[in-house]
């Protein structure tokens, strides 16, 4: 931002579904970060991926069942974030084969698991861990290995934003930061802070 002479205003408290509507309307310039889907790619403009996120199943420690792939979730009740996407394959498979409810993220999605409404929660690993540690659920809720999949994470721009002219330079910067190792260090530091600091949103 400083190199290109523009100011960044961070808005951290907007619900995900509303932020997507604002992005489409041009009320937001960019969201960080988002997974790729064909549908979104027709509406928004993606940057190059700047990190990766494992999509995992979280279970209650007293209601465990074995999972080797997404197919093992058939017959169980699940929850996933409202307005979220995990890519074309997972979204399509879940819609056609899984019994899932959509829930707000944060502590509310894990309360569906703690209260027995669902048997599992499908969530990005780092989002889930940040919520678990923030709410002191680490002895109750468990992330299950292996992950269902690993998704690339992108910046996602409004096609109505004047920032579109900067996407090419941003992609070059992402490549440069990836090559010199800064991007990995920043990502690791951020995730450690999100997990260790109960006041951090993640």
């Amino acid at each position: 931002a400083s190199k290109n002479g523009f100011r960044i205003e961070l808005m951290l408290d907007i619900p995900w579904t509303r932020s997507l509507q604002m992005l489409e309307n041009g009320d937001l310039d960019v969201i960080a970060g988002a997974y790729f889907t064909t549908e979104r790619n027709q509406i928004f403009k993606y940057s190059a991926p700047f990190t990766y996120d494992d999509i995992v199943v979280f279970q209650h420690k007293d209601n465990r069942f074995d999972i080797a792939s997404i197919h093992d979730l058939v017959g169980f009740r699940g929850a996933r974030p409202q307005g979220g996407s995990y890519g074309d394959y997972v979204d399509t498979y879940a819609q056609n084969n899984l019994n899932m409810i959509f829930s707000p993220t944060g502590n509310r999605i894990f309360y569906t698991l703690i209260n027995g409404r669902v048997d599992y929660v499908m969530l990005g690993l780092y989002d889930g861990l940040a919520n678990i540690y923030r709410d002191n659920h680490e002895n109750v809720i468990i992330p299950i290995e292996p992950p269902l999949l690993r998704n690339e994470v992108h910046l996602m721009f409004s096609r109505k934003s004047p920032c579109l002219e900067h996407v090419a330079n941003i992609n070059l910067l992402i490549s440069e930061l990836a090559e010199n190792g800064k991007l990995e260090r920043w990502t690791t530091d951020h995730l450690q802070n999100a997990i260790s600091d109960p006041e951090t949103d993640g």
Side-chain angles (χ1 to χ4, degrees), residues 33-159:
Y35 307 137
F36 182 91
T37 71
T38 302
E39 180 181 359
R40 285 181 180 172
N41 193 44
Q42 296 172 354
I43 304 171
F44 307 112
K45 171 78 172 179
Y46 282 97
S47 75
F50 62 87
T51 189
Y52 299 87
D53 192 16
D54 289 336
I55 306 305
V56 302
V57 166
F58 291 85
Q59 296 178 358
H60 195 289
K61 69 178 182 63
D62 295 329
N63 184 26
R64 299 283 304 275
F65 55 94
D66 293 332
I67 299 172
S69 74
I70 192 171
H71 309 286
D72 297 320
L73 299 176
V74 174
F76 294 97
R77 299 164 301 156
R80 57 182 293 182
Q82 188 172 16
S85 170
Y86 293 135
D88 292 330
Y89 175 74
V90 170
D91 290 350
T92 301
Y93 186 86
Q95 181 177 355
N96 293 335
N97 299 283
L98 301 182
N99 177 15
M100 302 194 74
I101 63 171
F102 289 87
S103 170
T105 51
N107 55 11
R108 283 183 278 183
I109 195 168
F110 281 127
Y111 283 145
T112 65
L113 186 58
I114 292 170
N115 295 335
R117 288 186 60 200
V118 299
D119 301 306
Y120 68 90
V121 167
M122 184 187 297
L123 200 59
L125 176 62
Y126 298 118
D127 281 346
L129 290 178
N131 288 331
I132 286 172
Y133 281 90
R134 182 192 62 204
D135 297 322
N136 298 313
H137 291 323
E138 57 266 33
N139 295 321
V140 179
I141 299 173
I142 303 166
I144 304 301
E145 295 287 345
L148 296 178
L149 77 161
R150 169 167 278 197
N151 272 336
E152 294 179 334
V153 181
H154 307 255
L155 301 172
M156 192 164 67
F157 292 83
S158 170
R159 291 193 180 270

Side-chain angles (χ1 to χ4, degrees), residues 161-200:
S161 170
C163 293
L164 283 180
E165 65 184 68
H166 298 289
V167 174
N169 286 336
I170 288 171
N171 287 341
L172 290 174
L173 179 60
I174 289 172
S175 178
E176 176 187 325
L177 293 173
E179 288 177 6
N180 65 26
K182 282 187 179 179
L183 200 54
E184 183 176 359
R185 290 196 301 274
W186 291 346
T187 303
T188 300
D189 290 345
H190 169 73
L191 295 173
Q192 288 176 343
N193 290 336
I195 291 172
S196 62
D197 182 357
E199 297 301 322
T200 301

